[in-house]
Amino acid sequence: MAHRVINFAPGPATLPLAALEEAQRDLVDYRGTGISIVEHSHRGKDYEAVHAETKALLTSLLGIPDDYEILFMQGGARGQFAILPMNLLPAGASADYVITGTWSEKAIEEALIVGRAREAASTYVDGRYTRVPSRDELDLDAGAAYAHITTNNTIFGTQFFDYPDTGSVPLVADMSSDIAWRPLDVSRFGLIYAGAQKNLGVAGITLVIVRKDLVERGRKDIPHIFQYRTLAKEDSLQNTIPTFAVYMMRNVLRWVKEQGGLDAMEARNRRKAEALYGAVDEASEFYRCPVERGSRSVMNAVFRLPSEALEAKFVAEAKAREMVGLKGHRSAGGVRVSMYNAMEPTGVEQLVAFMREFAKANG
Ligand code: PMP
């Protein structure tokens, strides 16, 4: 048995052991071909089957309707910050951005290089974000090319549970850190994108789910490689795709399916989050979650201790007990517990037991 620790890192993040072990088996000799999965041609039948299975799993697990394209792109989620407006923000138009954290700030920054964009809301107060806005706080432009939200704010630990209603304006979502955490109604979105390295697999690939009419409407005065239509037309195989990243996504999605799909993921994730926030709240004189209750992320829980020295001690002692990746983002401080789909509930239970002990010993 390999030695594994409990990894609460924000991404690249822990993966299901079954997905890793499958890769270990396939790495040297893929299904008796005498060639590893990463050495197979991206145009050969072995890889083709992996590609098709990954898309089929995405379609069934996420319930992706027929009028959507599934694209695998490179450049990460930050690549999409640029590629999205390059495609869907025509000259003269304006896009709406709901600003709820560092990632949405960076997203609008890129849009402003391409064209016009405005803040439809921002929950920035005193250098940080402690909640997502309610629907009635949104100042939406009915003529916007699209409206963009970040469904889960990985750094500040906030999450949308009720998505805005943008009427006929396409809703675009960066779901990098919470895609597939629960069942999803894809038809409410014009476009969804997510870097794979949290809930879907390994770094190197970005999933884009986009309504076909938006692909068609996309600008043509940008290089072909950045046009969504090129990828849609070529099934994301216009050039050499990161085959291993797609393969790993397939392994992870196979695991999700075996667990019972997204209903099972939601039950599992809610259970972990309840345990974690329960431990924070029961020792409220010691642990303090800066996030408003209704915005508390199920994926990334952040909390503070009475001092930075105690926070450092907490992280160090947890590490000595083989619980790693708990240091908060440098811009937010504190402790951050990332509990993506693959995090086992027993991992969170172990952390919760440590939190109780630590509060008693240091409070
Ligand atoms: N958006 C969100 C919500 C993220 O959490 C991250 C990465 N942590 C990014 C965008 C940037 O992703 P990438 O590194 O794939 O560009």
Side-chain angles (χ1 to χ4, degrees):
M1 245 312 249
H3 174 240
R4 302 265 297 164
V5 300
I6 305 173
N7 179 10
F8 292 102
T14 196
L15 291 171
L17 186 59
L20 294 172
E21 287 176 340
E22 195 169 2
Q24 197 171 38
R25 284 194 299 273
D26 287 347
L27 196 59
V28 176
D29 174 7
Y30 181 69
R31 300 180 62 160
T33 57
I35 298 176
S36 78
I37 185 62
V38 290
E39 295 164 311
H40 272 286
S41 165
H42 63 296
R43 307 207 184 276
K45 68 174 179 8
D46 293 282
Y47 173 72
E48 234 171 52
V50 168
H51 193 89
E53 184 185 345
T54 310
K55 288 179 74 175
L57 283 163
L58 285 166
T59 302
S60 65
L61 289 167
L62 293 171
I64 303 174
D66 286 346
D67 56 335
Y68 284 75
E69 298 283 359
I70 299 172
L71 314 177
F72 299 127
M73 298 190 75
Q74 297 182 54
R78 287 191 76 160
Q80 292 304 312
F81 293 175
I83 294 167
L84 164 74
M86 282 163 69
N87 277 272
L88 299 184
L89 185 54
S94 168
D96 272 355
Y97 280 75
V98 178
I99 309 298
T100 52
T102 310
W103 298 114
S104 23
E105 285 173 7
K106 294 200 183 300
I108 193 172
E109 208 179 292
E110 297 295 75
L112 285 166
I113 291 175
V114 175
R116 281 168 52 215
R118 60 188 276 283
E119 287 187 9
S122 170
T123 50
Y124 180 84
V125 179
D126 294 338
R128 57 202 181 109
Y129 297 84
T130 57
R131 63 187 186 89
V132 297
S134 63
R135 282 189 183 200
D136 55 22
E137 286 175 90
L138 302 179
D139 167 27
L140 294 166
D141 168 7
Y146 59 82
H148 181 283
I149 61 169
T150 313
T151 52
N152 184 68
N153 297 283
T154 326
I155 295 174
F156 292 98
T158 65
Q159 191 173 16
F160 275 95
F161 297 99
D162 176 31
Y163 302 128
D165 179 358
T166 53
S168 60
V169 173
L171 179 59
V172 171
D174 173 2
M175 293 197 185
S176 292
S177 53
D178 72 349
I179 190 156
W181 85 271
R182 67 170 178 189
L184 176 68
D185 180 2
V186 172
S187 72
R188 294 215 26 209
F189 298 86
L191 186 149
I192 293 167
Y193 63 91
Q197 64 271 21
K198 299 166 203 301
N199 260 349
L200 296 176
V202 299
I205 201 162
T206 312
L207 171 67
V208 177
I209 303 167
V210 53
R211 229 170 53 208
K212 287 180 177 166
D213 64 297
L214 294 176
V215 173
E216 280 155 27
R217 227 195 281 169
R219 289 172 67 154
K220 292 183 172 153
D221 58 347
I222 58 172
H224 290 113
I225 193 69
F226 298 126
Q227 294 182 27
Y228 290 132
R229 76 170 56 71
T230 305
L231 285 97
K233 194 165 126 250
E234 305 282 345
D235 194 16
S236 306
L237 294 165
Q238 66 292 331
N239 65 320
T240 318
I241 193 167
T243 50
F244 186 67
V246 177
Y247 164 83
M248 283 305 298
M249 189 183 288
R250 188 218 49 184
N251 288 4
V252 169
L253 294 172
R254 276 185 174 180
W255 172 84
V256 171
K257 188 178 171 186
E258 269 162 31
Q259 301 302 303
L262 299 193
D263 286 316
M265 289 301 116
E266 177 170 11
R268 176 185 166 91
N269 289 325
R270 288 199 185 274
R271 192 174 131 206
K272 289 182 287 185
E274 262 166 42
L276 199 282
Y277 288 113
V280 170
D281 292 339
E282 85 185 19
S284 57
E285 72 299 333
F286 191 73
Y287 298 115
R288 192 179 51 81
C289 175
V291 175
E292 279 188 15
R293 238 162 240 277
S295 296
R296 286 177 169 186
S297 170
V298 168
M299 298 278 99
N300 313 93
V302 298
F303 58 86
R304 305 299 311 238
L305 276 70
S307 69
E308 284 184 13
L310 277 171
E311 286 168 351
K313 189 176 178 207
F314 179 95
V315 170
E317 282 188 22
K319 191 172 179 193
R321 294 165 191 231
E322 306 206 313
M323 291 179 280
V324 306
L326 289 164
K327 195 172 185 302
H329 189 271
R330 59 190 184 281
S331 64
V335 174
R336 170 171 53 175
V337 185
S338 297
M339 309 175 280
Y340 302 118
N341 286 352
M343 172 55 63
E344 289 298 334
T346 50
V348 174
E349 280 159 28
Q350 195 169 316
L351 179 65
V352 161
F354 168 68
M355 285 171 68
R356 293 200 173 114
E357 216 179 285
F358 191 86
K360 205 179 278 172
N362 297 278

